[in-house]
Amino acid sequence: MKTIIEPFKIKVVEPLELTTPEEREQALRDAHFNVFNLHAHDVLIDLLTDSGTGAMSSLQWAAMMQGDESYAGAESFYRFLHRLEDMTGFTHILPTHQGRASERILFELVGGPGKIVPNNNHFDTTRANIEHSGAEAIDLVIEEGKHAAVRHPFKGNMDVDKLVDLIDRVGPDRIPLCMVTVTNNSGGGQPVSLENLRAVRKVCDGYGIPLFLDACRFAENAYFIKLREAGQGDRSVRDIVRDMFELADGATISAKKDGLVNIGGVLLLRDDALAAQAGALLILTEGFVTYGGVAGRDLEAMAQGFEEVVHEDYLAYRIGSTQYLGERLLEIGYQIVEPPGGHAIYVDAGELCPHIPQELFPGQALVCALYREAGIRSVEIGSLMFGDAAEPPPMELVRLAIPRRVYTQSHIDYVVEAAAHVFEQRHALRGLRLTNDPPYLRHFTAQLEEVTVEAALPAR
Ligand code: F0G
């Protein structure tokens, strides 16, 4: 069968309101051409992020009614704990309110000036927490992972030779841990193979460096391993997930992705002393070790979500639906990061709009066009987002991230149809100029106006 069907039926619906082109034009202007400023009410299909935007199952909602809100030793904590012990094999398991809270605690303990933390590609909050501690964050993804049109089954893999070079150059004492992000969000939602994780583990063992996973999308990564890695096709996703975690000395998890919840996170550790220190920091800012900044009902939702996410019918639909969107966009003529990732499709807007120079944000031009055309909200990952970095980003990307279990296949078809209309108008898209440029993380609050290329760059 070719049709992708959602392996669930709908019990509760949330109405979407259709807007007119005139209403969207007004909303976009009121938002100063920054879709973070839109009221979600004015968005029809929200592909801003897959984080915390998923739909929970009837079993998750039912579990939430059993939430034990005791300050210490709540039953809900023990259900959460046993689920994670069973899934990962870890024994030191701390709940947090989201991924970046786990990152902050970890890097407050192991970071600091002079330290260096390698990763395939650091996600923004991971990098920010490392740098905030005074340490340096370094990206070592394989060369294939840096080129949109190059296909590789495990484009998120770490370049093992470069890792060895780095350790030899700076010395293992300066590297408190090595991280690998599964799947590699900043590199296009691309997976990492078990073989690569084993190779990285071997290098780390040789130098006595702990290996950590940024495991937000561990289940999607495991499913790609099952689909693509030699010898893994007959194994269960559960077993592959277990193998991935057993290779690591620790992990940070945002449960807002593969935990299938709207809020929550986890910090996994093996080292007893480090776990004791992390528990103390958790109490300082998140909460007692048996609730870590979320409610008992949230722990229940996570316990059930981590169970449901490894169901293979779900993963087949999830990965299949993202792939379907990516392949249709390629057919229309878009260049995307190939092959399609797990949670999102990344469109190369620089390639789409060569008439808009980097300084006039071709990615944001595409973001605005998709909203105008059909009320679709996406996000620019290019010069607007990384404008404060020392070097311009290598690509001007637009990410269409797919919330879990929220949109149906016909919603995806609608996105494809809208993208085809926008493709026809690509030569007419206009660049944008900043009218308000905040000093930090400017893409969240910046304001812009549309300009013609000639008017903005008279000197050219
Ligand atoms: N690591 C990765 C790989 C992520 O994608 C994210 C969040 C985090 C860590 C931080 O987790 O948001 O729970 O604090 N990514 C979201 C996104 C925000 O849109 O890609 P958090």
Side-chain angles (χ1 to χ4, degrees), residues 229-272:
E229 190 159 347
Q232 301 297 324
D234 293 332
R235 300 187 63 217
S236 70
V237 167
R238 262 176 224 282
D239 285 348
I240 298 171
V241 164
R242 184 68 184 232
D243 283 0
M244 286 165 51
F245 281 108
E246 279 181 353
L247 284 165
D249 297 295
T252 54
I253 307 181
S254 165
K256 298 170 73 172
K257 287 83 169 173
D258 278 351
L260 299 179
V261 292
N262 304 115
I263 197 75
V266 191
L267 176 59
L268 302 173
L269 296 166
R270 269 193 219 292
D271 185 87
D272 296 337

mmCIF file of all heavy atoms in Angstrom, residues 229-272:
data_model
loop_
_atom_site.group_PDB
_atom_site.id
_atom_site.type_symbol
_atom_site.label_atom_id
_atom_site.label_comp_id
_atom_site.label_asym_id
_atom_site.label_seq_id
_atom_site.Cartn_x
_atom_site.Cartn_y
_atom_site.Cartn_z
ATOM 1 N N GLU A 229 20.740 0.423 8.488
ATOM 2 C CA GLU A 229 22.054 -0.108 8.865
ATOM 3 C C GLU A 229 22.117 -1.623 8.648
ATOM 4 O O GLU A 229 21.190 -2.346 9.051
ATOM 5 C CB GLU A 229 22.380 0.246 10.329
ATOM 6 C CG GLU A 229 23.828 -0.079 10.693
ATOM 7 C CD GLU A 229 24.325 0.701 11.917
ATOM 8 O OE1 GLU A 229 23.668 1.671 12.358
ATOM 9 O OE2 GLU A 229 25.392 0.317 12.418
ATOM 10 N N ALA A 230 23.205 -2.064 8.042
ATOM 11 C CA ALA A 230 23.366 -3.498 7.751
ATOM 12 C C ALA A 230 23.239 -4.306 9.037
ATOM 13 O O ALA A 230 23.804 -3.948 10.073
ATOM 14 C CB ALA A 230 24.735 -3.734 7.120
ATOM 15 N N GLY A 231 22.437 -5.377 8.976
ATOM 16 C CA GLY A 231 22.296 -6.287 10.108
ATOM 17 C C GLY A 231 21.297 -5.837 11.163
ATOM 18 O O GLY A 231 21.085 -6.533 12.153
ATOM 19 N N GLN A 232 20.667 -4.667 10.989
ATOM 20 C CA GLN A 232 19.762 -4.159 12.024
ATOM 21 C C GLN A 232 18.283 -4.324 11.659
ATOM 22 O O GLN A 232 17.410 -4.110 12.505
ATOM 23 C CB GLN A 232 20.051 -2.663 12.299
ATOM 24 C CG GLN A 232 21.467 -2.393 12.767
ATOM 25 C CD GLN A 232 21.784 -3.058 14.090
ATOM 26 O OE1 GLN A 232 20.941 -3.153 14.982
ATOM 27 N NE2 GLN A 232 23.001 -3.562 14.228
ATOM 28 N N GLY A 233 18.016 -4.681 10.401
ATOM 29 C CA GLY A 233 16.644 -4.695 9.889
ATOM 30 C C GLY A 233 15.690 -5.602 10.647
ATOM 31 O O GLY A 233 14.496 -5.321 10.729
ATOM 32 N N ASP A 234 16.195 -6.705 11.204
ATOM 33 C CA ASP A 234 15.304 -7.651 11.888
ATOM 34 C C ASP A 234 15.200 -7.397 13.383
ATOM 35 O O ASP A 234 14.517 -8.126 14.095
ATOM 36 C CB ASP A 234 15.803 -9.087 11.672
ATOM 37 C CG ASP A 234 15.680 -9.491 10.213
ATOM 38 O OD1 ASP A 234 14.779 -8.931 9.539
ATOM 39 O OD2 ASP A 234 16.484 -10.319 9.755
ATOM 40 N N ARG A 235 15.903 -6.379 13.847
ATOM 41 C CA ARG A 235 15.876 -6.127 15.299
ATOM 42 C C ARG A 235 14.741 -5.176 15.663
ATOM 43 O O ARG A 235 14.258 -4.413 14.826
ATOM 44 C CB ARG A 235 17.223 -5.545 15.740
ATOM 45 C CG ARG A 235 18.379 -6.500 15.430
ATOM 46 C CD ARG A 235 19.666 -5.991 16.007
ATOM 47 N NE ARG A 235 19.610 -5.927 17.461
ATOM 48 C CZ ARG A 235 20.177 -4.961 18.184
ATOM 49 N NH1 ARG A 235 20.843 -3.999 17.600
ATOM 50 N NH2 ARG A 235 20.083 -4.972 19.496
ATOM 51 N N SER A 236 14.329 -5.192 16.914
ATOM 52 C CA SER A 236 13.260 -4.278 17.331
ATOM 53 C C SER A 236 13.869 -2.911 17.632
ATOM 54 O O SER A 236 15.039 -2.800 18.035
ATOM 55 C CB SER A 236 12.549 -4.817 18.561
ATOM 56 O OG SER A 236 13.413 -4.726 19.682
ATOM 57 N N VAL A 237 13.061 -1.873 17.439
ATOM 58 C CA VAL A 237 13.508 -0.513 17.763
ATOM 59 C C VAL A 237 13.881 -0.434 19.245
ATOM 60 O O VAL A 237 14.851 0.215 19.626
ATOM 61 C CB VAL A 237 12.419 0.514 17.387
ATOM 62 C CG1 VAL A 237 12.707 1.875 17.999
ATOM 63 C CG2 VAL A 237 12.316 0.628 15.872
ATOM 64 N N ARG A 238 13.108 -1.125 20.082
ATOM 65 C CA ARG A 238 13.418 -1.151 21.518
ATOM 66 C C ARG A 238 14.853 -1.613 21.775
ATOM 67 O O ARG A 238 15.575 -1.012 22.580
ATOM 68 C CB ARG A 238 12.502 -2.144 22.228
ATOM 69 C CG ARG A 238 11.328 -1.555 22.898
ATOM 70 C CD ARG A 238 10.459 -2.683 23.471
ATOM 71 N NE ARG A 238 9.070 -2.411 23.177
ATOM 72 C CZ ARG A 238 8.334 -1.539 23.849
ATOM 73 N NH1 ARG A 238 8.837 -0.892 24.872
ATOM 74 N NH2 ARG A 238 7.091 -1.315 23.510
ATOM 75 N N ASP A 239 15.266 -2.693 21.093
ATOM 76 C CA ASP A 239 16.627 -3.216 21.295
ATOM 77 C C ASP A 239 17.674 -2.227 20.777
ATOM 78 O O ASP A 239 18.740 -2.065 21.378
ATOM 79 C CB ASP A 239 16.789 -4.563 20.579
ATOM 80 C CG ASP A 239 16.085 -5.688 21.329
ATOM 81 O OD1 ASP A 239 15.681 -5.460 22.490
ATOM 82 O OD2 ASP A 239 15.932 -6.778 20.746
ATOM 83 N N ILE A 240 17.362 -1.593 19.648
ATOM 84 C CA ILE A 240 18.325 -0.634 19.087
ATOM 85 C C ILE A 240 18.462 0.575 20.012
ATOM 86 O O ILE A 240 19.566 1.065 20.274
ATOM 87 C CB ILE A 240 17.900 -0.213 17.658
ATOM 88 C CG1 ILE A 240 17.903 -1.441 16.734
ATOM 89 C CG2 ILE A 240 18.817 0.880 17.114
ATOM 90 C CD1 ILE A 240 17.308 -1.203 15.354
ATOM 91 N N VAL A 241 17.319 1.024 20.551
ATOM 92 C CA VAL A 241 17.343 2.151 21.500
ATOM 93 C C VAL A 241 18.234 1.786 22.692
ATOM 94 O O VAL A 241 19.081 2.565 23.134
ATOM 95 C CB VAL A 241 15.909 2.498 21.977
ATOM 96 C CG1 VAL A 241 15.932 3.381 23.219
ATOM 97 C CG2 VAL A 241 15.124 3.170 20.847
ATOM 98 N N ARG A 242 18.056 0.575 23.188
ATOM 99 C CA ARG A 242 18.831 0.112 24.337
ATOM 100 C C ARG A 242 20.333 0.120 24.008
ATOM 101 O O ARG A 242 21.160 0.564 24.800
ATOM 102 C CB ARG A 242 18.342 -1.293 24.705
ATOM 103 C CG ARG A 242 18.944 -1.909 25.923
ATOM 104 C CD ARG A 242 18.506 -1.188 27.186
ATOM 105 N NE ARG A 242 19.194 -1.759 28.313
ATOM 106 C CZ ARG A 242 18.610 -2.202 29.419
ATOM 107 N NH1 ARG A 242 17.322 -2.079 29.595
ATOM 108 N NH2 ARG A 242 19.327 -2.720 30.389
ATOM 109 N N ASP A 243 20.683 -0.359 22.804
ATOM 110 C CA ASP A 243 22.090 -0.362 22.375
ATOM 111 C C ASP A 243 22.663 1.052 22.342
ATOM 112 O O ASP A 243 23.798 1.283 22.763
ATOM 113 C CB ASP A 243 22.219 -0.941 20.960
ATOM 114 C CG ASP A 243 22.114 -2.453 20.941
ATOM 115 O OD1 ASP A 243 21.936 -3.059 22.015
ATOM 116 O OD2 ASP A 243 22.219 -3.020 19.832
ATOM 117 N N MET A 244 21.868 1.983 21.805
ATOM 118 C CA MET A 244 22.351 3.375 21.714
ATOM 119 C C MET A 244 22.674 3.918 23.102
ATOM 120 O O MET A 244 23.729 4.502 23.329
ATOM 121 C CB MET A 244 21.277 4.263 21.049
ATOM 122 C CG MET A 244 21.139 4.068 19.550
ATOM 123 S SD MET A 244 19.602 4.799 18.890
ATOM 124 C CE MET A 244 19.666 6.443 19.552
ATOM 125 N N PHE A 245 21.748 3.713 24.047
ATOM 126 C CA PHE A 245 21.972 4.261 25.393
ATOM 127 C C PHE A 245 23.092 3.521 26.120
ATOM 128 O O PHE A 245 23.821 4.120 26.909
ATOM 129 C CB PHE A 245 20.670 4.247 26.205
ATOM 130 C CG PHE A 245 19.737 5.379 25.845
ATOM 131 C CD1 PHE A 245 18.571 5.154 25.145
ATOM 132 C CD2 PHE A 245 20.053 6.689 26.209
ATOM 133 C CE1 PHE A 245 17.707 6.199 24.816
ATOM 134 C CE2 PHE A 245 19.200 7.739 25.884
ATOM 135 C CZ PHE A 245 18.036 7.507 25.176
ATOM 136 N N GLU A 246 23.242 2.223 25.849
ATOM 137 C CA GLU A 246 24.295 1.474 26.547
ATOM 138 C C GLU A 246 25.692 1.909 26.126
ATOM 139 O O GLU A 246 26.658 1.714 26.853
ATOM 140 C CB GLU A 246 24.087 -0.036 26.354
ATOM 141 C CG GLU A 246 23.036 -0.507 27.356
ATOM 142 C CD GLU A 246 22.735 -1.987 27.298
ATOM 143 O OE1 GLU A 246 23.233 -2.672 26.378
ATOM 144 O OE2 GLU A 246 21.991 -2.449 28.173
ATOM 145 N N LEU A 247 25.774 2.525 24.942
ATOM 146 C CA LEU A 247 27.080 3.013 24.499
ATOM 147 C C LEU A 247 27.477 4.316 25.195
ATOM 148 O O LEU A 247 28.598 4.791 25.050
ATOM 149 C CB LEU A 247 27.065 3.231 22.975
ATOM 150 C CG LEU A 247 27.158 1.949 22.147
ATOM 151 C CD1 LEU A 247 26.763 2.203 20.703
ATOM 152 C CD2 LEU A 247 28.575 1.392 22.223
ATOM 153 N N ALA A 248 26.533 4.928 25.911
ATOM 154 C CA ALA A 248 26.783 6.273 26.459
ATOM 155 C C ALA A 248 27.000 6.257 27.966
ATOM 156 O O ALA A 248 26.511 5.375 28.673
ATOM 157 C CB ALA A 248 25.606 7.181 26.111
ATOM 158 N N ASP A 249 27.725 7.275 28.433
ATOM 159 C CA ASP A 249 27.927 7.477 29.866
ATOM 160 C C ASP A 249 26.897 8.430 30.444
ATOM 161 O O ASP A 249 26.856 8.664 31.654
ATOM 162 C CB ASP A 249 29.321 8.061 30.120
ATOM 163 C CG ASP A 249 30.398 7.097 29.676
ATOM 164 O OD1 ASP A 249 30.493 6.023 30.269
ATOM 165 O OD2 ASP A 249 31.121 7.423 28.705
ATOM 166 N N GLY A 250 26.119 9.034 29.560
ATOM 167 C CA GLY A 250 25.094 9.968 30.022
ATOM 168 C C GLY A 250 24.313 10.488 28.836
ATOM 169 O O GLY A 250 24.688 10.251 27.679
ATOM 170 N N ALA A 251 23.206 11.170 29.114
ATOM 171 C CA ALA A 251 22.415 11.749 28.024
ATOM 172 C C ALA A 251 21.557 12.889 28.553
ATOM 173 O O ALA A 251 21.114 12.868 29.711
ATOM 174 C CB ALA A 251 21.507 10.687 27.385
ATOM 175 N N THR A 252 21.375 13.886 27.687
ATOM 176 C CA THR A 252 20.381 14.921 27.956
ATOM 177 C C THR A 252 19.224 14.656 26.998
ATOM 178 O O THR A 252 19.450 14.292 25.835
ATOM 179 C CB THR A 252 20.946 16.334 27.700
ATOM 180 O OG1 THR A 252 21.479 16.394 26.365
ATOM 181 C CG2 THR A 252 22.057 16.676 28.677
ATOM 182 N N ILE A 253 17.998 14.779 27.495
ATOM 183 C CA ILE A 253 16.833 14.529 26.640
ATOM 184 C C ILE A 253 15.803 15.647 26.836
ATOM 185 O O ILE A 253 15.467 15.977 27.976
ATOM 186 C CB ILE A 253 16.134 13.183 26.977
ATOM 187 C CG1 ILE A 253 17.131 12.017 26.964
ATOM 188 C CG2 ILE A 253 14.999 12.912 26.002
ATOM 189 C CD1 ILE A 253 16.493 10.659 27.266
ATOM 190 N N SER A 254 15.335 16.185 25.735
ATOM 191 C CA SER A 254 14.140 17.018 25.777
ATOM 192 C C SER A 254 12.970 16.101 25.474
ATOM 193 O O SER A 254 12.829 15.621 24.351
ATOM 194 C CB SER A 254 14.227 18.129 24.724
ATOM 195 O OG SER A 254 12.953 18.702 24.545
ATOM 196 N N ALA A 255 12.121 15.846 26.461
ATOM 197 C CA ALA A 255 10.979 14.936 26.262
ATOM 198 C C ALA A 255 9.907 15.574 25.386
ATOM 199 O O ALA A 255 8.934 14.922 25.017
ATOM 200 C CB ALA A 255 10.400 14.535 27.619
ATOM 201 N N LYS A 256 10.092 16.854 25.027
ATOM 202 C CA LYS A 256 9.148 17.559 24.156
ATOM 203 C C LYS A 256 9.209 17.034 22.716
ATOM 204 O O LYS A 256 8.396 17.411 21.889
ATOM 205 C CB LYS A 256 9.454 19.058 24.183
ATOM 206 C CG LYS A 256 9.296 19.663 25.572
ATOM 207 C CD LYS A 256 9.822 21.075 25.664
ATOM 208 C CE LYS A 256 8.908 22.055 24.965
ATOM 209 N NZ LYS A 256 9.330 23.463 25.224
ATOM 210 N N LYS A 257 10.199 16.198 22.437
ATOM 211 C CA LYS A 257 10.275 15.574 21.109
ATOM 212 C C LYS A 257 9.806 14.116 21.263
ATOM 213 O O LYS A 257 8.627 13.863 21.327
ATOM 214 C CB LYS A 257 11.704 15.670 20.549
ATOM 215 C CG LYS A 257 12.102 17.075 20.082
ATOM 216 C CD LYS A 257 12.574 17.939 21.204
ATOM 217 C CE LYS A 257 13.215 19.211 20.735
ATOM 218 N NZ LYS A 257 13.508 20.113 21.849
ATOM 219 N N ASP A 258 10.764 13.180 21.379
ATOM 220 C CA ASP A 258 10.365 11.770 21.408
ATOM 221 C C ASP A 258 9.792 11.301 22.753
ATOM 222 O O ASP A 258 9.472 10.122 22.901
ATOM 223 C CB ASP A 258 11.537 10.882 20.962
ATOM 224 C CG ASP A 258 11.642 10.815 19.435
ATOM 225 O OD1 ASP A 258 10.724 11.300 18.758
ATOM 226 O OD2 ASP A 258 12.638 10.259 18.923
ATOM 227 N N GLY A 259 9.624 12.192 23.710
ATOM 228 C CA GLY A 259 8.871 11.840 24.911
ATOM 229 C C GLY A 259 7.372 12.010 24.689
ATOM 230 O O GLY A 259 6.563 11.646 25.544
ATOM 231 N N LEU A 260 7.019 12.577 23.535
ATOM 232 C CA LEU A 260 5.608 12.784 23.143
ATOM 233 C C LEU A 260 4.818 13.582 24.185
ATOM 234 O O LEU A 260 3.645 13.294 24.438
ATOM 235 C CB LEU A 260 4.912 11.433 22.864
ATOM 236 C CG LEU A 260 5.506 10.584 21.733
ATOM 237 C CD1 LEU A 260 4.743 9.264 21.591
ATOM 238 C CD2 LEU A 260 5.468 11.334 20.398
ATOM 239 N N VAL A 261 5.472 14.572 24.784
ATOM 240 C CA VAL A 261 4.778 15.430 25.751
ATOM 241 C C VAL A 261 4.977 16.904 25.402
ATOM 242 O O VAL A 261 5.818 17.254 24.573
ATOM 243 C CB VAL A 261 5.274 15.191 27.198
ATOM 244 C CG1 VAL A 261 4.871 13.806 27.677
ATOM 245 C CG2 VAL A 261 6.780 15.392 27.314
ATOM 246 N N ASN A 262 4.218 17.752 26.066
ATOM 247 C CA ASN A 262 4.294 19.185 25.798
ATOM 248 C C ASN A 262 5.356 19.875 26.647
ATOM 249 O O ASN A 262 5.792 20.979 26.320
ATOM 250 C CB ASN A 262 2.919 19.824 26.000
ATOM 251 C CG ASN A 262 1.866 19.138 25.141
ATOM 252 O OD1 ASN A 262 0.936 18.518 25.654
ATOM 253 N ND2 ASN A 262 2.014 19.203 23.831
ATOM 254 N N ILE A 263 5.741 19.252 27.751
ATOM 255 C CA ILE A 263 6.833 19.809 28.563
ATOM 256 C C ILE A 263 7.510 18.660 29.312
ATOM 257 O O ILE A 263 6.840 17.704 29.707
ATOM 258 C CB ILE A 263 6.315 20.899 29.542
ATOM 259 C CG1 ILE A 263 7.458 21.759 30.080
ATOM 260 C CG2 ILE A 263 5.500 20.319 30.680
ATOM 261 C CD1 ILE A 263 8.023 22.759 29.100
ATOM 262 N N GLY A 264 8.827 18.780 29.498
ATOM 263 C CA GLY A 264 9.541 17.760 30.270
ATOM 264 C C GLY A 264 10.916 17.470 29.682
ATOM 265 O O GLY A 264 11.157 17.705 28.498
ATOM 266 N N GLY A 265 11.804 16.981 30.539
ATOM 267 C CA GLY A 265 13.148 16.629 30.087
ATOM 268 C C GLY A 265 13.749 15.611 31.032
ATOM 269 O O GLY A 265 13.161 15.278 32.075
ATOM 270 N N VAL A 266 14.925 15.103 30.661
ATOM 271 C CA VAL A 266 15.590 14.073 31.454
ATOM 272 C C VAL A 266 17.097 14.303 31.395
ATOM 273 O O VAL A 266 17.624 14.749 30.372
ATOM 274 C CB VAL A 266 15.294 12.649 30.896
ATOM 275 C CG1 VAL A 266 15.772 11.582 31.872
ATOM 276 C CG2 VAL A 266 13.820 12.450 30.584
ATOM 277 N N LEU A 267 17.775 13.977 32.509
ATOM 278 C CA LEU A 267 19.236 13.911 32.521
ATOM 279 C C LEU A 267 19.613 12.518 33.015
ATOM 280 O O LEU A 267 19.199 12.103 34.107
ATOM 281 C CB LEU A 267 19.817 14.996 33.441
ATOM 282 C CG LEU A 267 21.333 14.994 33.629
ATOM 283 C CD1 LEU A 267 22.085 15.166 32.304
ATOM 284 C CD2 LEU A 267 21.753 16.114 34.601
ATOM 285 N N LEU A 268 20.360 11.791 32.175
ATOM 286 C CA LEU A 268 20.796 10.437 32.518
ATOM 287 C C LEU A 268 22.293 10.454 32.791
ATOM 288 O O LEU A 268 23.058 11.048 32.027
ATOM 289 C CB LEU A 268 20.544 9.479 31.347
ATOM 290 C CG LEU A 268 19.111 9.339 30.824
ATOM 291 C CD1 LEU A 268 19.102 8.488 29.558
ATOM 292 C CD2 LEU A 268 18.236 8.697 31.878
ATOM 293 N N LEU A 269 22.716 9.794 33.866
ATOM 294 C CA LEU A 269 24.143 9.768 34.209
ATOM 295 C C LEU A 269 24.524 8.381 34.715
ATOM 296 O O LEU A 269 23.701 7.682 35.313
ATOM 297 C CB LEU A 269 24.433 10.798 35.313
ATOM 298 C CG LEU A 269 24.190 12.272 34.937
ATOM 299 C CD1 LEU A 269 24.183 13.144 36.181
ATOM 300 C CD2 LEU A 269 25.243 12.778 33.952
ATOM 301 N N ARG A 270 25.796 7.999 34.487
ATOM 302 C CA ARG A 270 26.300 6.739 35.052
ATOM 303 C C ARG A 270 27.163 6.964 36.284
ATOM 304 O O ARG A 270 27.141 6.182 37.211
ATOM 305 C CB ARG A 270 27.138 5.993 34.003
ATOM 306 C CG ARG A 270 26.305 5.047 33.197
ATOM 307 C CD ARG A 270 27.117 4.080 32.392
ATOM 308 N NE ARG A 270 26.479 3.907 31.097
ATOM 309 C CZ ARG A 270 25.308 3.301 30.914
ATOM 310 N NH1 ARG A 270 24.657 2.766 31.926
ATOM 311 N NH2 ARG A 270 24.782 3.227 29.714
ATOM 312 N N ASP A 271 27.912 8.059 36.263
ATOM 313 C CA ASP A 271 28.890 8.301 37.317
ATOM 314 C C ASP A 271 28.190 8.718 38.619
ATOM 315 O O ASP A 271 27.423 9.689 38.640
ATOM 316 C CB ASP A 271 29.837 9.408 36.826
ATOM 317 C CG ASP A 271 30.961 9.644 37.793
ATOM 318 O OD1 ASP A 271 31.979 8.954 37.681
ATOM 319 O OD2 ASP A 271 30.808 10.526 38.689
ATOM 320 N N ASP A 272 28.459 7.988 39.709
ATOM 321 C CA ASP A 272 27.759 8.244 40.978
ATOM 322 C C ASP A 272 28.033 9.648 41.511
ATOM 323 O O ASP A 272 27.122 10.341 41.966
ATOM 324 C CB ASP A 272 28.196 7.225 42.053
ATOM 325 C CG ASP A 272 27.796 5.803 41.688
ATOM 326 O OD1 ASP A 272 26.842 5.654 40.894
ATOM 327 O OD2 ASP A 272 28.445 4.852 42.185
#
